[in-house]
Amino acid sequence: MSGTGRPDEQRLQAPGMTVGIVATHWNAEFVEPMLERAVAAAERAGTQAPTVVHVAGAVELPVVAQELARTHDAVVALGAVVRGSTPHFDYVCQSVTHGLTEVALNSSTPVGNGVLTCDTQEQARERSGLPGSVEDKGREAAEAAIGSALVLRGLRGDGAGVRGHRAG
């Protein structure tokens, strides 16, 4: 894992924004710390208390994210898929990534993809935000979704989010 190019922790200001978070029960030892870090990121940004729901596994994330996208400004999907000895890993990862992308595009609601796709449990541990981890994907996914929602607010004329130069 490189981590190259990863942005620093963002200082977002999103008072009143609504955030929905859907997290899997599978690989809870990695997903629960990511959930805690995503909730903390939303709270730091000043959003309303996030709506948090759980689903069985990664394949269930897109449909619940779709429902959350109907009523929230930003959605965060959290899970961990660890490669096994069958092609199931590839099908799950592709399905989830495609599904979450479709939700975001069809709903015009940002969906932060915090689904770890790792070859080993050690890789998942290193990305989960646990003490000593080198990455914090729960926080990063929440910040990405909230930041994108702020940009959309600005583009839609809601007053916040877009700063700097505009093309024209």
Side-chain angles (χ1 to χ4, degrees), residues 2-29:
S2 75
T4 302
R6 180 177 50 245
D8 292 332
E9 186 173 333
Q10 297 183 48
R11 299 288 177 209
L12 301 170
Q13 298 297 315
M17 184 175 286
T18 56
V19 177
I21 303 174
V22 55
T24 64
H25 288 297
W26 272 90
N27 292 308
E29 67 185 285

Side-chain angles (χ1 to χ4, degrees), residues 23-136:
T24 64
H25 288 297
W26 272 90
N27 292 308
E29 67 185 285
F30 310 122
V31 177
E32 287 303 310
M34 290 171 40
L35 175 58
E36 291 171 15
R37 304 289 292 152
V39 168
E43 290 173 349
R44 264 192 317 279
T47 70
Q48 294 181 22
T51 301
V52 176
V53 294
H54 286 84
V55 295
V59 172
E60 291 77 30
L61 288 169
V63 70
V64 175
Q66 178 174 269
E67 188 61 29
L68 288 169
R70 290 185 174 126
T71 57
H72 292 79
D73 297 308
V75 175
V76 181
L78 302 171
V81 184
V82 180
R83 186 180 298 278
S85 59
T86 68
H88 181 73
F89 172 88
D90 298 310
Y91 302 133
V92 169
C93 294
Q94 182 177 12
S95 174
V96 171
T97 300
H98 178 76
L100 293 176
T101 301
E102 286 289 317
V103 169
L105 293 173
N106 290 336
S107 67
S108 296
T109 301
V111 177
N113 184 344
V115 181
L116 305 180
T117 55
C118 303
D119 289 325
T120 66
Q121 291 202 354
E122 181 58 33
Q123 288 177 347
R125 191 171 293 105
E126 288 295 318
R127 290 171 169 82
S128 66
L130 285 165
S133 295
V134 296
E135 295 184 79
D136 187 351

